[in-house]
Amino acid sequence: MEQNVKKPISLSGIQPTGVMTLGNYIGAVKNWVTFQDECDCIYMIANLHAITVKQDPAALRKNTLEAFALILACGVDPEKSIAFIQSQVPQHAELSWVLNCYAQFGEMSRMTQFKDKSRKHADNINVGLFTYPILMAADILLYQADVVPVGVDQKQHVEIARDIAGRFNGLYGDVFKMPTPFIPKAGAKIMSLADPTKKMSKSDDNLNSFIAILEDKDSIIRKIKRSVTDSEALVAYREGKDGINNLMTIYSVVTGKSFEEIEREFEGKGYGDFKLAVGETVADYLAPVKDRFNALMGDKAYLESLAADGAEKASRLARRTLSKVYRKVGLL
Ligand code: ATP
Ligand code: MG
C-alpha cells in the first residue's frame, strides 16, 4: 500500500446464511474485488448478523469458514485488503450498543428488510432482527468507510447509517465519516429464478430459486432451464417480462453484451436456446471460483490463520474509532 496518498475506504460484508449466490456475487462481491485497486478495502463475514434468524451452531460454524474461503476464492486478496470474521472483532458489538441509543424506534420501524424477514420468520421476530441496521451502521462507521458496495436491497440500511452518523456528529463533532452506498448499474438486484418478482436470496428455502456460486454445471443449467419466464417466446427486455429481464441481466453482466446485442443474438430463437446459453455461460463463469475454493478449503489451519490476521488488523482500526466514541459520549 502506498504511504501518504490516502485512498477511500471500502467496507462491506456478507452473511454466512448459506452459500453465496450469483446475486450476491454480481450485486456485491464482484465489486469488492475491483475496488481493491482504488480503495483500502475491508470485507467481513457478517456472522453476528446471521444469528438474527435461527441458525444451527455446527452449520453456522461451517458456513462461516466456507464463506470466508469463498470471498477469497472470488478474489478478495488478504495481502491487499483486510478480510475477517465479524464476531472476531468485538468492537462491532460494542459500537452497536452505543449507536442503539442514537437510533430512533420510529425510523427503525420503516426498514423494509425487517418487515420482509418478520413475515418470513413469523415465529422468531427477535429484537436483533429489528436492530440489524444499527449493527450494520456500526460495521460501516467503525472503519470510517467512504464507500459501501452493496446490492440495492441494502441501500436503505446504508442510508440509516448515514442518518445515525449525521446525528452523532451533530452532537459530538466530526466523529464519523459519511458513507456512500455503491450500487452497480447492472445487477443491483438479481431476481429469484422461481419468482422473478422477488430478490434472489441465499437463505431461500426453495433451492431452485437461486444459483449458488459452488454449484456444478448440470445443476446450474437445470435451474436456469426451469426458471419462471413467460409464454411469449420473445427474448427482449420489456416491462412485465420479469423472468426474461432477469436472465438477460445475468447474461449481460457475465458476457458484457448489451441488451440490444442479446436481443439480436436470440432473434427468432426460443427460450430453450436462450436458457441453455445463459446456463452454460454462467457455469463457465463460476467454474474458476469453485476450483480456488476447493484448494483453499484443503488447508483449514491456513484459512483460520488468515482470518485471525484479518481480525487483528481490523480490530486495530476499530479500536481507534470506538475509543473516540466512548470519550465523546462520556463513558469511562
Ligand atoms: P439472506 O437471505 O440471508 O439475507 P442474501 O442473499 O440477501 O442472504 P446477504 O448476506 O444478506 O445475502 O447480502 C450480501 C450482499 O449481497 C449485500 O450487499 C446484498 O445487498 C447483496 N445481495 C443480496 N441479494 C442480492 C441480489 N439478489 N442481487 C444483488 N445483490 C444482492
Ligand atoms: Mg440479505
Side-chain angles (χ1 to χ4, degrees):
M1 260 178 233
E2 285 175 53
Q3 299 290 316
N4 304 323
V5 201
K6 259 200 144 182
K7 292 184 189 169
I9 296 171
S10 166
L11 176 291
S12 198
I14 183 164
Q15 302 183 78
T17 42
V19 181
M20 188 196 298
T21 69
L22 185 63
N24 301 136
Y25 183 68
I26 291 177
V29 177
K30 185 168 157 286
N31 299 315
W32 299 7
V33 175
T34 52
F35 275 27
Q36 292 181 117
D37 296 326
E38 311 141 36
C39 300
D40 286 336
C41 297
I42 304 166
Y43 299 126
M44 61 170 197
I45 304 307
N47 56 347
L48 295 176
H49 280 94
I51 61 168
T52 57
V53 304
K54 259 181 224 139
Q55 301 291 336
D56 168 66
L60 180 61
R61 228 171 267 129
K62 178 171 177 282
N63 286 341
T64 302
L65 197 66
E66 288 188 356
F68 184 71
L70 199 43
I71 64 169
L72 303 186
C74 286
V76 169
D77 178 353
E79 299 271 316
K80 285 191 197 165
S81 300
I82 299 177
F84 69 100
I85 293 165
Q86 189 184 26
S87 63
Q88 297 185 333
V89 180
Q91 289 80 15
H92 290 252
E94 292 172 309
L95 180 60
S96 178
W97 174 254
V98 175
L99 298 183
N100 262 281
C101 305
Y102 295 82
Q104 299 299 309
F105 189 88
E107 63 188 348
M108 302 315 297
S109 311
R110 290 193 289 272
M111 296 293 107
T112 57
Q113 177 178 285
F114 173 68
K115 292 180 198 162
D116 291 346
K117 294 209 168 178
S118 300
R119 230 172 283 130
K120 204 175 151 207
H121 306 279
D123 59 335
N124 183 27
I125 307 176
N126 62 82
V127 179
L129 193 60
F130 186 70
T131 58
Y132 178 116
I134 304 175
L135 176 58
M136 181 162 155
D139 301 334
I140 297 167
L141 301 177
L142 263 183
Y143 300 98
Q144 308 290 348
D146 296 278
V147 59
V148 187
V150 285
V152 76
D153 63 298
Q154 291 300 325
K155 184 167 179 261
Q156 198 182 30
H157 290 167
V158 182
E159 280 162 4
I160 207 84
R162 291 171 59 91
D163 292 344
I164 295 171
R167 190 173 304 147
F168 197 93
N169 287 352
L171 290 166
Y172 302 110
D174 278 344
V175 177
F176 297 126
K177 183 93 70 64
M178 204 48 85
T180 311
F182 174 87
I183 293 156
K185 283 197 187 69
K189 191 177 187 183
I190 298 297
M191 309 310 278
S192 156
L193 299 178
D195 176 358
T197 61
K198 264 179 42 190
K199 159 182 119 56
M200 181 182 286
S201 290
K202 69 176 120 61
S203 65
D204 201 315
D205 297 330
N206 181 355
L207 301 183
N208 288 319
S209 72
F210 60 80
I211 296 204
I213 296 290
L214 299 172
E215 257 174 76
D216 59 47
K217 188 165 185 167
D218 289 349
S219 164
I220 294 175
I221 292 175
R222 187 174 39 79
K223 284 187 181 179
I224 295 203
K225 267 193 185 158
R226 291 180 52 169
S227 69
V228 172
T229 49
D230 53 67
S231 53
E232 205 179 10
L234 173 71
V235 178
Y237 198 96
R238 303 267 193 285
E239 221 189 300
K241 291 174 73 72
D242 298 327
I244 290 296
N245 294 349
N246 190 38
L247 295 183
M248 283 182 72
T249 301
I250 293 170
Y251 193 62
S252 167
V253 170
V254 170
T255 60
K257 292 177 186 168
S258 68
F259 290 154
E260 295 81 72
E261 285 173 295
I262 298 170
E263 287 173 7
R264 239 176 288 131
E265 185 178 346
F266 294 97
E267 212 178 310
K269 292 187 183 153
Y271 287 167
D273 289 340
F274 175 54
K275 285 176 163 178
L276 183 64
V278 177
E280 282 184 333
T281 319
V282 167
D284 293 345
Y285 181 72
L286 297 178
V289 175
K290 193 160 73 183
D291 294 344
R292 285 195 293 269
F293 172 81
N294 288 335
L296 281 160
M297 286 309 291
D299 192 348
K300 290 215 176 106
Y302 174 62
L303 263 183
E304 279 162 358
S305 77
L306 287 179
D309 269 7
E312 173 63 40
K313 287 184 198 150
S315 193
R316 217 175 295 143
L317 298 172
R319 270 199 298 269
R320 263 192 243 160
T321 303
L322 187 70
S323 62
K324 189 166 182 190
V325 166
Y326 270 36
R327 211 166 54 241
K328 292 283 188 181
V329 171
L331 298 172
L332 291 179

